[in-house]
Amino acid sequence: MRFFTSDTHAGHEKNLDYSARDFPSIAAHDDALVSNWNAVVSTEDEVHHLGDVTFMSTEDTKAWLARLNGTMLLTPGNHDFYRNKTRGTDVPLAKWYEPRVPVGSILTLDGGLEAELVHKPTHAKGHTGLVLCGRVHNAWKFYKHEGGRLWDSRVDVPPCLFVNVGIDHWGYAPVSEMDLVRAVLLHR
């Protein structure tokens, strides 16, 4: 089975306030994400993570990822490129983690729907009519773009439906492809 998620931000204490995540501590947050992930994802499943995985040291990131079921395929987000010595990140996640799926990749979903995979919505080309993204946290779950420029984008994007697969909208767990396709069909 395939799943999708984004913006787990494990170890990112400021994100508890930024995204209004109701956890008593970042440790409780990170443990809950692992429990929720493993409750829906089996060891044989694959999870497309559309960026901003952790805000931890490289060693702690590897340990946290080892607790998750399934195979994670990373489409990097902005936080996955950070090199920050204060948190011990000697090499950014986007530089060492495999397997990676490039930003803008097109994936065929159940029912023949084609979806573009990005972290930041303004990186989308929108040619498939469906964009799976993250980055916007709890700002919106679905966004129907009527065509033209997107926020700070410098290019026109054709009309398309954006779906935020970030954990803030899916019970702090990855969303299954079946549930995602069902939701997309309701919002087209």
Side-chain angles (χ1 to χ4, degrees):
M1 231 170 124
R2 275 195 299 206
F3 290 83
F4 298 86
T5 197
S6 180
D7 299 292
T8 45
H9 285 275
H12 193 179
E13 202 156 353
K14 289 183 180 179
N15 200 57
L16 294 179
D17 291 332
Y18 176 71
S19 294
R21 294 184 182 172
D22 193 22
F23 294 92
S25 67
I26 195 62
H29 168 270
D30 297 352
D31 288 342
L33 295 186
V34 170
S35 294
N36 293 351
W37 180 299
N38 292 341
V40 297
V41 177
S42 77
T43 56
E44 295 82 32
D45 294 333
E46 72 178 27
V47 180
H48 284 268
H49 196 302
L50 304 186
D52 288 4
V53 179
T54 76
F55 209 69
M56 300 177 185
S57 70
T58 302
E59 183 178 314
D60 289 345
T61 295
K62 288 179 180 181
W64 189 77
L65 290 172
R67 297 171 58 197
L68 301 175
N69 286 344
T71 300
M72 187 181 84
L73 294 93
L74 174 65
T75 298
N78 52 306
H79 286 277
D80 303 318
F81 288 100
Y82 288 168
R83 182 174 185 265
N84 184 333
K85 290 184 180 182
T86 61
R87 58 186 171 112
T89 308
D90 49 345
V91 180
L93 181 69
K95 299 291 184 191
W96 60 263
Y97 185 83
E98 291 288 343
R100 287 192 302 271
V101 177
V103 172
S105 292
I106 307 298
L107 188 66
T108 301
L109 304 177
D110 290 343
L113 291 173
E114 287 191 328
E116 183 179 0
L117 307 178
V118 298
H119 175 65
K120 189 176 180 183
T122 54
H123 290 170
K125 305 288 184 249
H127 300 299
T128 64
L130 176 62
V131 177
L132 305 183
C133 64
R135 181 83 168 43
V136 295
H137 298 267
N138 49 9
W140 45 261
K141 188 173 185 175
F142 300 96
Y143 173 71
K144 285 187 179 181
H145 179 60
E146 301 299 327
R149 297 236 167 118
L150 277 167
W151 308 292
D152 63 348
S153 176
R154 294 183 183 159
V155 297
D156 286 341
V157 175
C160 57
L161 177 65
F162 285 83
V163 181
N164 176 7
V165 297
I167 64 167
D168 298 291
H169 287 291
W170 302 95
Y172 297 106
V175 58
S176 72
E177 182 172 357
M178 181 178 67
D179 288 342
L180 183 65
V181 168
R182 191 177 300 136
V184 166
L185 294 175
L186 288 173
H187 285 87
R188 279 201 135 176

